[in-house]
Amino acid sequence: MTQQKSYRSSFILLTVLFFLWGFITVLVDSLIPRLRELFTLTYFQAGLVQFAFFGAYFLLSIPASYILSKIGYKRGIILGLFTMALGCLLFYPAAAYREFGIFMLAYFILAGGITILQVAANPYVAVLGSEDGASSRLNLSQAFNSLGTAIAPAIGALFILSDKIKTKDEIDALVGTAKEQYLIAEASAVQTPFIGLALFIVLIAVYFFFAKLPKLISETETGTYKNALKQKNLMLGVFGIFCYVGAEVAIGSYLVNYFMDMNLVSLIKEEGFMKSIAESLLNSGLAEKDDKAVVGVFVTFYWSGAMIGRFIGSYLTKIINPGKVLGIFATCAVALILISISTTGLVSMWSILAVGLFNSIMFPTIFTLAIDGIGSLKPKGSGLLCTAIVGGAIIPPAYGFLTDNIGFKPALFLVICAYAYILYYGYRNSKKTFNL
């Protein structure tokens, strides 16, 4: 009974951490518009920002899992938090000197800290109890992570981006001291939130230092990556994570362009319910009054669907074989994309947005199925799985290339292939014995 209570309190503490890093990650994203204007980035440089984020997962996940196997989950979480704090602190000189190189280093280090947290926290939640309930626990923790990402944009808009950001042309129009004063003010607007974030993260790390968490990993672990690579289900899961992240990011990144290509703006403006939503957000000043902003408002439904679906999925994976739930959700995703491809107008729009709901349980469920039964190899398995998040930097450009050559709808068959593989992985694992 005492052990179960310890597990419950540790799970709550870890779930709070999931919420916080989701919140902090997206809050940092809300500062990017200010950073881009400070550095007057080209489109190529702006693209490098995303590669810095996903590159951290690719380069640091396996080293992080090696460190984790040596120091344990708790110290790994603390290390990840301090690494995030260091990344936030480096944004101060980046803004002060307006050096893009320092900014990229800061963002990479921040992403590196998040990578360490992912590698440490995901398997830790999975092992806080029976393996039968691992998918349910991780889905619930990930749901609060999504809640953090959903709240952060509003907080950023209210407290960080409350004043109007000038365009590059407007900045170029300023002369002499007026331009310099504006850039200094913008640098300060970036520096203060990042210093605050760094201090907040350090406080969380200190709290974790004194928190009593059960020790669930051997300090004398002998497993190697060679052993991990021989685990067939783990390696199939690694490719599953690659497909999932790539598919989710590919859809999310091109939704606005997809809607613009279908000329949905006029339909949205004519539809009463949708018109009221768009106008309320546009009038609040959270977006500029242009066509892309009008359709962009509805992309929120895609990402918020992940949060709702994870709360639902946490219950479903508790009472139904997680592999079956994964297969059903992947099947629904494929069906919705096919509907979007074969239809036009609002039906096509809402069907593709609904894919977000079925994306929800995929990452935590694939993750827990992949590390199921590998024992002391879990840290290394976690490292391999987190490395596969680089799919978010590979599949979206491939989708963009296909779109340039054959159009948005035909290019979606690439995404369908990714979900089809996830369907296969879910079906494969549905055959495992599952004890309620």
Side-chain angles (χ1 to χ4, degrees):
M1 188 69 179
T2 302
Q3 186 185 52
Q4 288 182 348
K5 186 176 180 180
S6 174
Y7 282 2
R8 189 181 300 113
S9 59
S10 297
F11 174 75
I12 293 171
L13 187 59
L14 265 293
T15 300
V16 170
L17 179 63
F18 272 79
F19 171 84
L20 290 174
W21 100 53
F23 178 84
I24 290 169
T25 300
V26 176
L27 195 63
V28 168
D29 287 342
S30 70
L31 290 166
I32 298 301
R34 289 197 184 280
L35 294 166
R36 285 178 178 170
E37 73 171 23
L38 279 173
F39 302 119
T40 58
L41 303 183
T42 64
Y43 284 111
F44 173 71
Q45 289 174 320
L48 288 177
V49 173
Q50 289 299 324
F51 271 98
F53 183 83
F54 287 108
Y57 279 102
F58 181 71
L59 295 174
L60 301 179
S61 291
I62 291 178
S65 69
Y66 175 78
I67 295 172
L68 180 64
S69 68
K70 299 299 181 183
I71 67 176
Y73 288 109
K74 178 179 175 178
R75 291 175 183 173
I77 289 168
I78 295 170
L79 175 63
L81 288 167
F82 275 116
T83 303
M84 286 179 66
L86 175 60
C88 287
L89 288 174
L90 284 175
F91 278 101
Y92 190 95
Y97 296 104
R98 297 198 288 276
E99 285 289 337
F100 182 64
I102 302 177
F103 163 61
M104 288 294 291
L105 176 63
Y107 198 60
F108 180 80
I109 291 175
L110 177 63
I114 295 171
T115 300
I116 296 171
L117 284 182
Q118 286 267 28
V119 174
N122 281 301
Y124 192 53
V125 169
V127 298
L128 276 173
S130 68
E131 289 197 340
D132 289 346
S135 289
S136 177
R137 289 192 299 274
L138 193 53
N139 267 296
L140 184 57
S141 291
Q142 289 279 357
F144 280 94
N145 180 269
S146 296
L147 179 61
T149 63
I151 293 174
I155 300 298
L158 289 173
F159 297 104
I160 298 174
L161 302 176
S162 55
D163 58 323
K164 187 178 184 298
I165 300 174
K166 294 184 182 297
T167 64
K168 184 178 183 299
D169 291 337
E170 289 173 332
I171 295 173
D172 291 340
L174 298 174
V175 293
T177 57
K179 182 176 182 179
E180 188 62 27
Q181 288 176 352
Y182 175 77
L183 290 175
I184 290 173
E186 285 300 290
S188 177
V190 170
Q191 290 167 332
T192 302
F194 274 115
I195 293 297
L197 283 174
L199 293 175
F200 184 57
I201 294 168
V202 168
L203 288 176
I204 298 170
V206 171
Y207 183 81
F208 264 88
F209 181 80
F210 291 103
K212 293 183 178 180
L213 299 178
K215 187 176 179 182
L216 301 169
I217 181 172
S218 172
E219 299 288 349
T220 59
E221 183 192 343
T222 58
T224 65
Y225 275 107
K226 184 177 180 180
N227 299 135
L229 292 171
K230 291 179 181 178
Q231 302 294 319
K232 183 178 179 180
N233 193 58
L234 169 64
M235 298 313 298
L236 291 174
V238 168
F239 188 62
I241 292 291
F242 179 92
C243 289
Y244 157 70
V245 177
E248 181 185 51
V249 174
I251 293 176
S253 298
Y254 289 94
L255 276 178
V256 171
N257 301 97
Y258 182 48
F259 296 160
M260 293 293 291
D261 185 65
M262 289 193 290
N263 298 314
L264 292 179
V265 177
S266 58
L267 288 174
I268 290 173
K269 289 180 177 179
E270 293 171 2
E271 179 70 28
F273 164 71
M274 298 170 67
K275 180 181 178 182
S276 62
I277 293 176
E279 287 183 347
S280 62
L281 289 173
L282 293 171
N283 291 335
S284 69
L286 298 182
E288 295 297 325
K289 293 186 177 183
D290 57 31
D291 288 348
K292 285 188 176 180
V294 171
V295 296
V297 164
F298 293 91
V299 177
T300 306
F301 288 97
Y302 176 75
W303 296 108
S304 60
M307 175 185 66
I308 297 169
R310 280 175 177 165
F311 281 110
I312 297 171
S314 175
Y315 174 73
L316 291 178
T317 52
K318 191 174 183 179
I319 63 172
I320 304 173
N321 184 302
K324 289 182 180 179
V325 178
L326 179 62
I328 292 169
F329 273 48
T331 300
C332 291
V334 170
L336 287 166
I337 296 171
L338 288 172
I339 291 171
S340 185
I341 291 172
S342 59
T343 59
T344 58
L346 298 181
V347 173
S348 183
M349 185 188 83
W350 283 114
S351 58
I352 198 73
L353 288 175
V355 173
L357 178 66
F358 296 98
N359 279 335
S360 56
I361 61 109
M362 291 186 182
F363 181 93
T365 306
I366 294 170
F367 195 101
T368 51
L369 289 174
I371 64 172
D372 180 30
I374 65 173
S376 62
L377 290 172
K378 279 184 171 67
K380 290 180 171 58
S382 177
L384 291 170
L385 288 162
C386 288
T387 300
I389 292 174
V390 74
I394 305 299
I395 293 180
Y399 175 76
F401 175 80
L402 290 174
T403 298
D404 288 335
N405 290 277
I406 61 176
F408 281 100
K409 289 180 180 288
L412 282 172
F413 281 98
L414 172 66
V415 181
I416 286 176
C417 290
Y419 285 118
Y421 176 81
I422 296 169
L423 193 164
Y424 156 74
Y425 188 70
Y427 173 74
R428 183 180 189 275
N429 280 273
S430 69
K431 297 178 180 180
K432 287 186 176 182
T433 302
F434 183 76
N435 299 312
L436 295 178

